Amino acid sequence: SAVVFDAYRSEGEALTLARDFVFETVGAHRIECRTFADSDLRIACLRRLGAAEEGRLRRSTRIDDHYVDQLLWSIVRADRLN
């Protein structure tokens, strides 16, 4: 999913199609995604897709000379059906 989100983060329709493909064709139960805590564009895309923020991974990734937080997001198949 990270590749899809990176390649099409500003293309809401492409993300919606990818999400639906994963649930309807692949039959997945859950999609997970991590994003940097300060990545407003990606966070907005995830929210539009119906993703729920599950938690913060504090100082989980090193960028250059410092560590940054990531947010863990998910979309669960049952949530989409309700």
Side-chain angles (χ1 to χ4, degrees), residues 2 10 16 18 20 23 26-27 30 34 36-37 41-43 45 49 53 59-60 64 68 70 72 75 78 81-82:
S10 64
T16 299
D20 294 347
F23 285 127
V26 175
R30 173 186 172 90
R34 289 184 186 190
F36 295 123
L41 179 60
R42 290 183 180 148
I43 291 168
C45 286
L49 286 170
E53 183 180 334
R59 301 183 59 167
S60 60
D64 297 323
V68 297
Q70 289 182 322
L72 177 63
I75 305 172
L81 300 175
N82 294 333

Side-chain angles (χ1 to χ4, degrees), residues 1-80:
S1 65
V3 173
V4 173
F5 286 113
D6 285 341
Y8 297 104
R9 68 176 179 252
S10 64
E11 300 291 334
E13 184 178 357
L15 288 173
T16 299
L17 291 171
R19 178 201 60 201
D20 294 347
F21 175 80
V22 169
F23 285 127
E24 296 168 15
T25 304
V26 175
H29 165 72
R30 173 186 172 90
I31 299 171
E32 290 183 4
C33 182
R34 289 184 186 190
T35 188
F36 295 123
D38 64 353
S39 184
D40 295 335
L41 179 60
R42 290 183 180 148
I43 291 168
C45 286
L46 288 164
R47 286 191 173 128
R48 281 193 303 272
L49 286 170
E53 183 180 334
E54 293 195 337
R56 178 178 290 261
L57 306 167
R58 296 175 51 228
R59 301 183 59 167
S60 60
T61 300
R62 186 177 176 141
I63 296 180
D64 297 323
D65 61 345
H66 64 283
Y67 287 89
V68 297
D69 294 356
Q70 289 182 322
L71 301 177
L72 177 63
W73 295 82
S74 72
I75 305 172
V76 178
R77 180 186 195 107
D79 293 344
R80 288 201 357 93

